[in-house]
Amino acid sequence: MGYFDAASSAPLHPVARQALQASLDEGWADPARLYREGRRARMLLDAAREAAAEAVGCRADELVFTSSGTRAVHSGIAGVLAGRRRIGRHLIVSAVEHSSVLHAADTHEAEGGAVTQVAVDRAGAVSVRGYADALRADTALACLQSANHEVGTEQPVADVAAVCRAAGVPLLVDAAQSLAWGRVEGDWSVVTGSAHKWGGPAGVGLLVVRKGVRFAAQGPVDERESGRAAGFENIPAIVAAAASLRAVRAEAAQEAVRLRELTERIRAGVARLVPDVEVVGDPERRLPGIVTFSCLYVDGETLLHELDRAGFSVSSGSSCTSSTLTPSHVLKAMGVLSEGNVRVSLPFGTAAKDVERFLEVLPGAVAGVREKLGAPVAEAVVRDDDDLVVDALGRRCPIPVIELAKVIGDVPVGGTVRVLSDDEAARLDIPAWCEMRGQEYVGEEPAEQGTAYVVRRVS
């Protein structure tokens, strides 16, 4: 069996399990009490904080434990925005941030704040210039993930932090995906993390706020965690989180080399073994264990089920997955193909034989899904001289692109095909198909129903 979804949640590290079991007997009491059980719990909590702070690269009194990585993000953004309200209410985020950051930005905007989204290139990376241009006199906070959770692309955090620092603007870094591999570089102001991403237990997050950053905790507070994370600390889980972070860091350098080699096998193997596939994300500046690709003419949800039946657990940013009918905001911002999207994220210790078996299984799984979806005939095809109209209204991805591929050869070079579709994924997938197949994407036009996507045959 191959669990290849570590970017969603990594398997519990053996050290985390040992620490969790050991601290259940010692860390159950209230660490705020002065009797011996409380003192013992406080010693465990303080030791965990010291260990986590050393791994992050901060002072122990700058770090608090939260109930999740999402809570850390929400508390961090809200606290800095409130603390710097006199400066202004402008927030900067990248277009590919984790949903926790984007949801916080939406809330800020709904409450009257201003938000600027910085675009990314086709590899999923922001430019330092993009952040520099977004900075304003009333900018209270900028946010940038250390590495992308869907495609693995690493961001130029240190350079962006320098630009923000020069402008007097704090930078919050969502480091959930990268903390297992090392400290966040640069002069950042706030860092957040999530233990279950590095092999710790779920339900533990990190929030680090550098000394000197204006911060005002929002909502009801109590004396716990410096007033920044209300509620009784889950000391056994916190101890396990800190222990596992230290353990994975000790393995990180060697494991990074090994996992990079395995993901290179997947990148090269997918391109060689599966036709009509686009491997996405930066080929060099990316996390060691993540590789993402999209397959033309494939229903992403069906492909995931086929791979699951073959013993492989992967995830997808495809618009065809059951949780959404719109493409992943990350893939959309990158402008890459979303249909048939597969993210492989290898956990620490992944065996090379499991990767080889995955590459053996994948081509047949893709071919099987394509065979199932290749049969449909366009419901309505209307020809007007050198212009052909395909009616794909009411048909979800990847059917509109399949129908386009089937009829593009029916028009002469220079002729056009108009694909009528009411599926939001077509806005992303049809231009991506054109780039992959060497055809010209003319643009979209309003239609009586849905949208007409115009493609000109050039070869």
Side-chain angles (χ1 to χ4, degrees), residues 389-447:
V389 178
V390 174
D391 184 354
L393 293 169
R395 314 187 76 181
R396 296 300 176 192
C397 72
I399 299 301
V401 181
I402 289 175
E403 300 300 354
L404 168 61
K406 289 164 67 175
V407 302
I408 189 70
D410 293 343
V411 298
V413 172
T416 59
V417 176
R418 281 174 168 77
V419 182
L420 302 178
S421 177
D422 50 8
D423 183 3
E424 178 65 21
R427 180 167 283 112
L428 182 62
D429 290 346
I430 290 178
W433 178 89
C434 290
E435 181 163 332
M436 292 176 68
R437 308 303 287 177
Q439 307 298 342
E440 178 187 355
Y441 178 65
V442 178
E444 59 182 75
E445 299 176 348

Side-chain angles (χ1 to χ4, degrees), residues 254-276:
Q254 184 175 353
E255 188 67 0
V257 173
R258 203 179 66 84
L259 290 187
R260 285 190 189 280
E261 193 276 331
L262 292 179
T263 53
E264 279 301 325
R265 287 194 212 177
I266 297 174
R267 289 176 67 90
V270 166
R272 183 181 73 255
L273 300 170
V274 183
D276 297 317

Side-chain angles (χ1 to χ4, degrees), residues 52-302:
E54 193 280 330
V56 172
C58 66
R59 293 170 38 159
D61 59 355
E62 294 174 328
L63 184 151
V64 299
F65 295 105
T66 66
S67 59
S68 68
T70 293
R71 173 51 57 193
V73 165
H74 290 173
S75 298
I77 292 176
V80 176
L81 288 174
R84 289 174 50 82
R85 192 180 181 100
R86 289 186 178 181
I87 301 295
R89 302 200 64 198
H90 179 230
L91 171 66
I92 302 173
V93 300
S94 83
V96 294
E97 294 297 312
H98 188 269
S99 58
S100 60
V101 173
L102 298 183
H103 290 163
D106 289 342
T107 297
H108 177 62
E109 196 167 33
E111 293 174 348
V115 176
T116 296
Q117 272 199 13
V118 178
V120 298
D121 60 22
R122 196 171 174 83
V126 302
S127 69
V128 179
R129 172 55 58 188
Y131 268 77
D133 291 345
L135 290 167
R136 306 185 332 201
D138 63 339
T139 301
L141 175 66
C143 299
L144 179 62
Q145 59 189 192
S146 53
N148 187 259
H149 50 292
E150 289 195 25
V151 300
T153 297
E154 294 178 327
Q155 301 291 359
V157 171
D159 292 337
V160 170
V163 167
C164 290
R165 177 67 66 180
V169 174
L171 178 69
L172 181 149
V173 181
D174 171 15
Q177 291 294 339
S178 70
L179 276 179
W181 302 107
R183 294 179 176 180
V184 178
E185 299 295 329
D187 199 6
W188 49 266
S189 300
V190 181
V191 155
T192 63
S194 186
H196 73 100
K197 302 289 189 178
W198 66 66
V204 180
L206 301 180
L207 171 61
V208 180
V209 181
R210 292 285 201 196
K211 293 294 182 183
V213 177
R214 292 183 180 274
F215 189 95
Q218 298 301 286
V221 299
D222 60 23
E223 72 281 3
R224 309 278 176 179
E225 294 300 294
S226 305
R228 292 177 180 173
F232 198 95
E233 298 94 341
N234 184 346
I235 293 177
I238 288 171
V239 169
S244 58
L245 180 56
R246 192 155 69 174
V248 298
R249 281 290 188 79
E251 307 165 6
Q254 184 175 353
E255 188 67 0
V257 173
R258 203 179 66 84
L259 290 187
R260 285 190 189 280
E261 193 276 331
L262 292 179
T263 53
E264 279 301 325
R265 287 194 212 177
I266 297 174
R267 289 176 67 90
V270 166
R272 183 181 73 255
L273 300 170
V274 183
D276 297 317
V277 67
E278 181 179 16
V279 182
V280 300
D282 194 294
E284 301 295 335
R285 290 182 53 84
R286 69 175 193 278
L287 292 175
I290 297 180
V291 56
T292 306
F293 55 90
S294 299
C295 306
L296 275 174
Y297 322 132
V298 168
D299 178 331
E301 184 174 7
T302 302

Side-chain angles (χ1 to χ4, degrees), residues 359-375:
L359 291 174
E360 292 173 3
V361 166
L362 180 66
V366 173
V369 175
R370 284 175 172 165
E371 184 177 0
K372 293 176 184 177
L373 294 172

